[in-house]
Each structure stands twice: as structure tokens, then as C-alpha cells.
Amino acid sequence: MVKSVALRLSKHALRNASVGVVALVWGGAAAAQEYPNRPVSLIVPFAAGGPTDTMGRLMAQQFQAFFKQTVLVENAPGAGGTIGVDKVVRAAPDGQTILLMHIGMATAPALYKRLPFDPNKDLEPIGQVADVPMTLLTRPTLVPATLKELIPYLKANGDKVTIANAGIGAASHLCGLLFMSTIGIDLTTVPYKGTAPAISDLVGGQVDLLCDQSTNTVSQIKAGRVKVIGTTSARRLTQLPNVPTLAEQGLSGFELGVWHGLYAPRGTPKPILDRLNQALLATIKDAGFRARLAEFGVETVSPELATPQGLRTHLAREIEKWSPIIRKAGIYAD
């Protein structure tokens, strides 16, 4: 009798569990079909007008057309982008809040002593989006004009040479650290509050070097306001066909792009993540989107990288790459 009752209870529990699983699967599928049924917020953790913001606004237009639903860009700047990232980490995992973040996602664990999130665990990767190459610049009056001339100059005058950046943790800061690490020379770093004042002082001759994103520097280079040593890309930029890469000039292992990835809060249902990935793939394949980014020297990634696994793998590798460089430099942010 006891066995009979237990068996009936067991069958009842199993039936209820099965119904629950079916409901969950059906509910997830239904949610994906309906998603999004209200405006989506795309968080850009930097100020309006910068390279990541520009990319985000172009992406929002593409996503809006794909979803036939409003996609709003929301700027949440501060602390090297970590404030905006944390906002998404704390958001409801329903696909209504997504994040566009650059290489800073990989450098934050080493750079910040009290990081309120774990990039590998607290977000759902959707896929990589694009890479922004960097350019190594000097003030107009600096004598060296090529990398071959510049490195001996730096070795002879390293204690007097200054290299600017847009602030601790900025892409220009990371590029400067990697450059110094690669050539084995320590220079005096001069942090600014943003790219604009750093470039202004480079043009004016107050600082000697700056390594910054092509989106910020191509116009300055073409106008002759700064001297360009080379680009950090694998091949020459379409906008600067006469400027050699640093690799062409013998600096092997120094290919650096400010890659961008798209994320959702941890726990976002897979059907919704799949829909977001579909929108991302459609976006990077769109000729108009690619052409607009190319105007700024930006290249979209391959479809293989624009996937959750592609971004997850790349993020892990980049954290492993940048952590020892930042720790060796002894640089930390509050």
C-alpha cells in the first residue's frame, strides 16, 4: 500500500515536472517570438560623441530595423566604463537592456581593485562587433619620422619623452603600455581627461607621443597637425594607404585593435539571446553599416566571431593578455 501511494506520488511529481519543463520551453519560445515588444535600451558606458557611442548609435538603427521596435542608446559614462557595465549586470535578464563595451571589459579585472562584477560570469556574451585600429603619433616637431628612427631616439631620451593618454584605462593608455612593454622602454605617461585635450597638447608640442584610435586621429593626420609613425592594424588602413603598419616596420607582436562586444545580463533566456545574435549577425553583414564604420577606419568582425562563443573565448584570452601588462606597470584605478 505504501509502495502504491509512493509510486502514484512519484508519477504525479514526474508528470508535474514534465508539464513544467514543457511550459518553460514553450514560454521561452513564445518570449523569443514576441521579443522585443517594447523599447530596448542599448547601454554605452561612455560619453556621447566618442567612438563607442558612434558605433552604438549606428547599431541601434540596424537593430531597430531588424526588430521593428525602438532601440534607444543610453550613455552611462564613468570609471572607465565600469559604471555602465555594472548597470547592465544589475538589470533584469529579459533582453530589454543590453550593453556595448570595448576592450576595457578585459582590462578592468586587473585595473580596478574593487570591481563590482566578473566579466566572465556576470554577463551573457552575444558576440563581437568590430575592431577599431590604433595609430602611433608624435608631435609635429619631433625629429624621428619612422619607427626605425623613433626607437633609438626613445632609448637615448626615454627619461625625457612623454606619452599622453586619454585617462587611466583608456584605449590610448593601454596602447601606450603595450608599446612600452614591447620595445622595453619606460616613458613618462601623461594622463588627460579625454582624448581631445591629449591631442590638443600633442599638436601644440606639450607632449611627445600618443597612441589612439583611428576614429579620433585620421582627420588630424590628414590635416598634417600631427606626425604618424604607423598603425597597429594587421594591414594598412583604407583611409591612410601611405601609412605603414608597425608590424611592417619590424615591430612584431604589436597588433592592437579596440574590439567591441555586445552583452546581456546573466540569466537572459537563450531564445532571446539567439534573437539578439541574429540581429547582430544581420547588422555586421549589412553593407551600409559596414560602409559607415569604414569611414572611421573601423572593421566589422567575421560572422564566426560575432557569436556568444566567439566573444567568450576572445574575452578570456584578452584578460589573460592584459592582466600581466597592467600589473607590471603597477597601475590601478579606484
Side-chain angles (χ1 to χ4, degrees), residues 111-189:
L111 194 59
Y112 292 89
K113 292 181 179 180
R114 295 179 293 276
L115 194 65
F117 57 85
D118 184 333
N120 284 319
K121 297 179 180 178
D122 293 336
L123 291 160
E124 302 284 358
I126 298 167
Q128 288 187 64
V129 181
D131 283 316
V132 183
M134 308 285 283
T135 51
L136 181 62
L137 312 174
T138 74
R139 57 180 167 83
T141 54
L142 198 70
V143 174
T146 66
L147 184 67
K148 186 177 180 179
E149 297 170 350
L150 179 63
I151 291 179
Y153 176 86
L154 296 179
K155 289 183 177 179
N157 301 278
D159 57 335
K160 303 173 185 175
V161 176
T162 54
I163 181 166
N165 64 61
I168 294 176
S172 53
H173 184 206
L174 302 176
C175 188
L177 289 178
L178 185 60
F179 178 65
M180 289 186 286
S181 175
T182 302
I183 65 175
I185 301 173
D186 289 327
L187 307 174
T188 301
T189 58

Side-chain angles (χ1 to χ4, degrees), residues 34-216:
E34 296 174 0
Y35 172 82
N37 56 13
R38 54 194 172 94
V40 174
S41 292
L42 173 59
I43 305 298
V44 172
F46 302 100
T52 304
D53 178 68
T54 299
M55 187 184 301
R57 292 181 187 278
L58 293 174
M59 285 184 63
Q61 294 173 11
Q62 295 294 319
F63 275 46
Q64 188 161 293
F66 182 88
F67 287 135
K68 295 180 174 54
Q69 181 60 260
T70 302
V71 178
L72 301 170
V73 173
E74 181 180 342
N75 297 97
T82 60
I83 289 176
V85 175
D86 190 50
K87 182 172 184 175
V88 177
V89 167
R90 297 174 184 273
D94 55 8
Q96 298 304 136
T97 305
I98 56 178
L99 168 74
L100 178 65
M101 179 57 174
H102 66 23
I103 189 174
M105 188 71 84
T107 59
L111 194 59
Y112 292 89
K113 292 181 179 180
R114 295 179 293 276
L115 194 65
F117 57 85
D118 184 333
N120 284 319
K121 297 179 180 178
D122 293 336
L123 291 160
E124 302 284 358
I126 298 167
Q128 288 187 64
V129 181
D131 283 316
V132 183
M134 308 285 283
T135 51
L136 181 62
L137 312 174
T138 74
R139 57 180 167 83
T141 54
L142 198 70
V143 174
T146 66
L147 184 67
K148 186 177 180 179
E149 297 170 350
L150 179 63
I151 291 179
Y153 176 86
L154 296 179
K155 289 183 177 179
N157 301 278
D159 57 335
K160 303 173 185 175
V161 176
T162 54
I163 181 166
N165 64 61
I168 294 176
S172 53
H173 184 206
L174 302 176
C175 188
L177 289 178
L178 185 60
F179 178 65
M180 289 186 286
S181 175
T182 302
I183 65 175
I185 301 173
D186 289 327
L187 307 174
T188 301
T189 58
V190 182
Y192 287 80
K193 293 182 178 179
T195 298
I199 290 181
S200 178
D201 274 8
L202 185 72
V203 172
Q206 281 78 36
V207 289
D208 301 310
L209 301 175
L210 172 68
C211 185
D212 203 10
Q213 300 175 66
S214 61
T215 45
N216 295 326

Side-chain angles (χ1 to χ4, degrees), residues 294-314:
E295 293 174 9
F296 305 103
V298 181
E299 294 185 352
T300 55
V301 300
S302 67
E304 292 76 21
L305 295 177
T307 61
Q309 188 56 49
L311 177 53
R312 185 178 291 108
T313 300
H314 187 68

